[in-house]
Amino acid sequence: MHTLMAWRNIWRNPRRTLVILTAVVIGVWSMIFLGALMRGLTNQYLEIGISTLTGHIQVHHQDFRSDPVIQNRIDRPGRVAEALEPLLPPGSHWTERIRVNAIANTARHAQGVTLVGIDPEREARVSFIGGAVKEGNYLEPDDPYGILVGKALAEDFETRLDRRVVLMSLGVDGKVASRAFRIRGIFRAETEATEKQYMFVTMAAARDMLGLERGVTEAAVLLPSHELTGKTAEALERRLPTPPLAVQTWRDLLPLVRVTIELYDTFIFLWFLVVFIAMAFGIVNTLLMAVFERVREFGLLKALGMRPRGIVQGVLTESFFLLLLGTAAGNALGVLSVNLLAESGIDLSALAGRLAEVGMRRVGYPQLQAGGFRLANVVVFVLGIVVSLYPAVKAARFTPVEALAHT
Amino acid sequence: METQSIVSLSDVTKTYRQGRVQITALDGVSLEVPQGDFLALAGPSGSGKTTLLNLIGGLDRADSGSIRLNGNDLGAMSESELAGMRLEQVGFVFQSYNLIPVLSAEENVEYVMLLQGVAARERREKARAILDDVGLEGMYDRRPAELSGGQQQRVAVARAVVSGPSIVLADEPTANLDSATGRALMDMMRSMNEAKGVTFVFSTHDRMVMDYAGRLIRIRDGRVAGDERREGEAES
Ligand SMILES: Nc1ncnc2c1ncn2[C@@H]1O[C@H](COP(=O)(O)OP(=O)(O)O)[C@@H](O)[C@H]1O
Ligand SMILES: [Mg+2]
């Protein structure tokens, strides 16, 4: 009957109840929706970063990142394979690369690029390049002279399929090594910067050019989920001779992505705070109003022998119902709007200039996330009940005599 | 006194402070209420009737003197003990707004039993029986807003007596009723008193209501100004 009473009480003033509900619904919805949008944006950003030759985990020679020359290489890649393969979770992929700085020349143009020697088959499962060739063909294994060039670079160089590009870099012997390649394919990437930076050749071609027998400069691992990164990297670190090798995760390799994600998390947190404070004021005010309208009633309940705790419980039950209805509707609305926009995305062109600079897409695809969901609901629910304690305790404090004298 | 006293007050005073002004609402009241009384507290407005009823019911505390209910000293009880005492031993009927608006007549009567921990079935049976007794059969499901003033007061009386309290305190129960309805309510209370031996103390400044009393205590300026038993029934 106490529950029934609370339920009926919230409908005594339907307009007021609808006002609170609207506040809770908008609050919960905005938390879910904004959270999902932010998560979508940062996840896309992270995906792009990871697929642009980063992966979740990389193994290098410890000096390679500060001095990326062929001398700082992994001399015995077999050891990495031995250490890595047993601990990779199912669904993982990994590959090896030779990555060196080089100068690309055509008859009229020259530009610094990153030359990447890949195992075409394995690389396709780890990074974007497998599906990125839009003109011509992807590399055949062991193609000795084929090269993949980015669309933007091809345009800068005024070159096209089947034309020659000469690459120069420092070989293993410390002397300049050069080799002429033929453009087999032109690839597109999320950003022009990527298209202009990377050129892909087969591992065999890169080794041949640099005078290398068996080494690689990096091993890159793509895991089935971001969450596995830390654990896998730690396990790998224990199994590898570090130094001379070093294990890094995308957090180390993509500092800008990491900082951006942290920034967005902070933003979401602040948004939650703002929404919650606004909502809390709404809840407290309306409940106080409701409590003060019913002073006589609380006095009556106390006169009848109800303990203050019972009155607190009664008011909290009312608040519980309001929060329950509000969060339920807010969740429904959140899921609905996110699902509606998950396909088409939200055009963020107004911000796009800035987003594109750091390699983010112009269209945001909101992504629901169990964590964000839970957080929004727990925040609203738990804190909602906590702030309701104030009006509830107020209601329990009226003494029967003053309450009954109240008109 | 041959019968056991339910209520016993000795030299009770109560003063209200309003800013700098002190108002003496009760000024040395001593009183015994034996089991089975149908007692009217009569006096003009402001004489201290409500204050006295509030003190007897443990809604408020006296400044000095002692109040005993069934031999227990109310002054020595904690707030929580007072609440328990009110729940188990006292029935209240106020002048108005007696009922919980969101509960039906039956639920209002059941509510006290719910607080007392009575099982659902028994609550329902007792509530319906007592509502029948006060002439509200068939109105179990009406909300207070769907009942007349007289019917609301009947529900309040039903709630006050339903679980057999030691005493029912009614503060001007007929003040908001027309005289015919008031009379009917007094008849009903009187028959509860006679049939079930429920002890009633009610306040009034209405001659007609005083005529129902088995015992009439006159209050003037916070003092007992007269105490008479009236065995003969008034039928006016
Ligand atoms: N809460 C209060 N604060 C101040 N004075 C009060 C309060 N309650 C009652 N009084 C005063 O005490 C006196 C007795 O009041 P009350 O017991 O209500 O009388 P009655 O019920 O006979 O009309 C009156 O003078 C009244 O003004
Ligand atoms: Mg009064």
Side-chain angles (χ1 to χ4, degrees):
Chain A
M1 195 180 317
H2 295 298
T3 320
L4 191 70
M5 242 169 99
W7 177 256
R8 289 182 187 162
N9 273 326
I10 67 173
W11 297 110
R12 276 166 85 169
N13 189 333
R15 223 175 56 117
R16 185 165 56 207
T17 294
L18 288 180
V19 169
I20 297 200
L21 284 181
T22 311
V24 175
V25 168
I26 292 178
V28 171
W29 171 78
S30 78
M31 284 179 177
I32 290 177
F33 186 75
L34 217 67
L37 182 59
M38 292 292 162
R39 191 53 62 208
L41 281 173
T42 52
N43 269 356
Q44 284 160 31
Y45 188 28
L46 177 57
E47 300 298 342
I48 292 169
I50 281 178
S51 75
T52 307
L53 303 186
T54 307
H56 289 105
I57 301 172
Q58 290 196 1
V59 181
H60 295 108
H61 183 277
Q62 58 174 350
D63 296 329
F64 182 80
R65 286 192 68 222
S66 52
D67 187 12
V69 295
I70 192 68
Q71 282 72 24
N72 291 332
R73 63 179 175 269
I74 305 168
D75 228 348
R76 286 189 294 168
R79 290 213 341 223
V80 177
E82 265 170 45
L84 191 54
E85 261 159 5
L87 53 83
L88 281 185
S92 309
H93 299 286
W94 76 285
T95 189
E96 292 158 317
R97 302 182 184 122
I98 292 170
R99 194 197 290 230
V100 288
N101 292 327
I103 294 170
N105 296 285
T106 58
R108 276 176 283 170
H109 300 272
Q111 191 180 315
V113 296
T114 301
L115 177 65
V116 189
I118 58 173
D119 174 339
E121 224 173 282
R122 288 165 67 203
E123 184 68 39
R125 289 193 286 266
V126 175
S127 75
F128 79 103
I129 190 65
V133 175
K134 301 301 175 203
E135 291 172 51
N137 298 307
Y138 189 53
L139 292 173
E140 294 291 330
D142 302 324
D143 181 341
Y145 299 109
I147 191 164
L148 303 178
V149 176
K151 173 86 174 164
L153 189 90
E155 278 167 7
D156 279 2
F157 274 32
E158 298 166 273
T159 187
R160 54 190 158 76
L161 283 180
D162 291 327
R163 292 284 182 87
R164 270 164 47 104
V165 186
V166 175
L167 270 289
M168 294 182 350
S169 182
L170 282 182
V172 177
D173 55 9
K175 294 188 184 137
V176 173
S178 79
R179 187 175 178 98
F181 293 94
R182 198 164 291 278
I183 299 175
R184 297 270 191 259
I186 292 179
F187 69 84
R188 303 285 333 237
E190 288 294 339
T191 66
E192 287 200 349
T194 306
E195 290 179 9
K196 287 182 182 175
Q197 185 181 354
Y198 295 106
M199 288 191 169
F200 297 88
V201 300
T202 62
M203 182 80 86
R207 284 203 178 121
D208 207 23
M209 169 179 166
L210 301 169
L212 188 67
E213 259 172 47
R214 54 175 182 180
V216 298
T217 63
E218 73 192 39
V221 181
L222 184 70
L223 296 168
S225 92
H226 303 321
E227 282 73 43
L228 294 166
T229 306
K231 241 199 274 172
T232 314
E234 270 170 37
L236 182 59
E237 202 153 30
R238 264 181 263 118
R239 292 178 57 110
L240 278 176
T242 50
L245 297 183
V247 176
Q248 277 116 10
T249 67
W250 64 265
R251 294 183 162 276
D252 313 312
L253 300 164
L254 299 169
L256 189 58
V257 173
R258 192 193 67 221
V259 170
T260 306
I261 290 174
E262 284 165 5
L263 201 72
Y264 275 46
D265 283 348
T266 311
F267 177 77
I268 289 178
F269 173 77
L270 289 178
W271 178 251
F272 274 32
L273 204 70
V274 167
V275 166
F276 181 73
I277 288 172
M279 221 166 52
F281 267 101
I283 292 175
V284 169
N285 269 322
T286 358
L287 278 180
L288 274 181
M289 253 195 276
V291 160
F292 277 108
E293 268 174 26
R294 280 154 52 198
V295 172
R296 283 197 64 104
E297 224 170 293
F298 293 121
L300 174 66
L301 293 177
K302 275 190 140 179
L304 293 180
M306 188 157 196
R307 303 296 209 291
R309 187 204 296 192
I311 290 175
V312 170
Q313 273 170 7
V315 176
L316 289 186
T317 309
E318 289 173 32
S319 155
F320 172 85
F321 278 134
L322 290 172
L323 291 167
L324 194 72
L325 291 175
T327 47
N331 284 330
L333 209 63
V335 173
L336 205 72
S337 57
V338 169
N339 282 344
L340 226 61
L341 290 165
E343 292 290 310
S344 58
I346 299 163
D347 196 345
L348 300 168
S349 300
L351 307 163
R354 286 292 186 69
L355 295 179
E357 271 170 33
V358 294
M360 294 178 84
R361 282 191 187 143
R362 276 150 217 271
V363 179
Y365 298 87
Q367 276 179 12
L368 282 182
Q369 234 212 351
F373 229 109
R374 227 177 298 135
L375 189 66
N377 282 292
V378 168
V379 164
V380 170
F381 224 93
V382 174
L383 295 182
I385 292 284
V386 169
V387 297
S388 304
L389 271 170
Y390 175 64
V393 167
K394 266 245 141 61
R397 286 255 170 93
F398 298 123
T399 70
V401 174
E402 69 185 16
L404 289 166
H406 189 99
T407 39
Chain B
M1 219 163 277
E2 60 259 49
T3 33
Q4 153 87 40
S5 275
I6 304 268
V7 174
S8 140
L9 281 75
S10 91
D11 205 19
V12 170
T13 65
K14 177 73 183 176
T15 314
Y16 292 109
R17 261 163 296 276
Q18 233 169 15
R20 301 245 171 81
V21 191
Q22 292 217 347
I23 300 163
T24 303
L26 293 179
D27 188 8
V29 173
S30 297
L31 181 64
E32 299 285 326
V33 182
Q35 159 76 42
D37 255 14
F38 197 67
L39 191 164
L41 298 172
S45 184
S47 54
K49 306 182 295 292
T50 298
T51 305
L52 184 54
L53 286 170
N54 286 346
L55 292 182
I56 295 172
L59 293 175
D60 205 353
R61 290 176 187 275
D63 293 332
S64 68
S66 90
I67 305 172
R68 289 176 178 278
L69 195 92
N70 285 328
N72 300 312
D73 183 2
L74 301 193
M77 288 189 186
S78 69
E79 286 303 318
S80 172
E81 284 166 338
L82 284 178
M85 186 275 298
R86 291 197 296 270
L87 179 60
E88 302 294 341
Q89 299 177 42
V90 185
F92 286 98
V93 179
F94 301 102
Q95 189 174 322
S96 55
Y97 303 110
N98 262 300
L99 305 179
I100 300 162
V102 296
L103 298 184
S104 68
E106 183 184 328
E107 288 164 342
N108 262 285
V109 176
E110 280 192 37
Y111 192 74
V112 181
M113 293 187 275
L114 176 76
L115 294 182
Q116 289 169 339
V118 177
R121 232 188 103 119
E122 189 185 342
R123 283 204 307 262
R124 189 187 176 83
E125 282 168 4
K126 279 189 163 178
R128 294 194 165 188
I130 199 81
L131 283 170
D132 291 349
D133 286 351
V134 301
L136 291 175
E137 55 278 318
M139 300 193 190
Y140 308 144
D141 294 331
R142 296 232 191 141
R143 297 276 182 95
E146 299 162 339
L147 295 168
S148 71
Q151 290 168 334
Q152 290 181 30
Q153 291 303 75
R154 283 163 183 268
V155 176
V157 172
R159 179 187 61 199
V161 301
V162 71
S163 43
S166 307
I167 190 166
V168 174
L169 304 172
D171 193 9
E172 307 205 28
T174 63
N176 289 343
L177 306 179
D178 63 61
S179 71
T181 314
R183 213 163 281 179
L185 186 76
M186 290 314 296
D187 281 332
M188 192 270 286
M189 282 168 53
R190 178 91 227 196
S191 68
M192 289 271 170
N193 171 254
E194 280 165 359
K196 307 187 188 211
V198 184
T199 310
F200 277 87
V201 176
F202 52 94
S203 69
T204 188
H205 53 252
D206 182 342
R207 278 230 63 84
M208 178 274 288
V209 177
M210 292 175 210
D211 288 342
Y212 277 89
R215 178 183 173 196
L216 185 68
I217 291 184
R218 294 186 187 278
I219 310 281
R220 288 276 179 290
D221 300 327
R223 286 176 220 241
V224 175
D227 185 348
E228 52 183 295
R229 288 219 165 259
R230 331 159 104 214
E231 294 311 327
E233 259 354 276
E235 223 48 55
S236 51

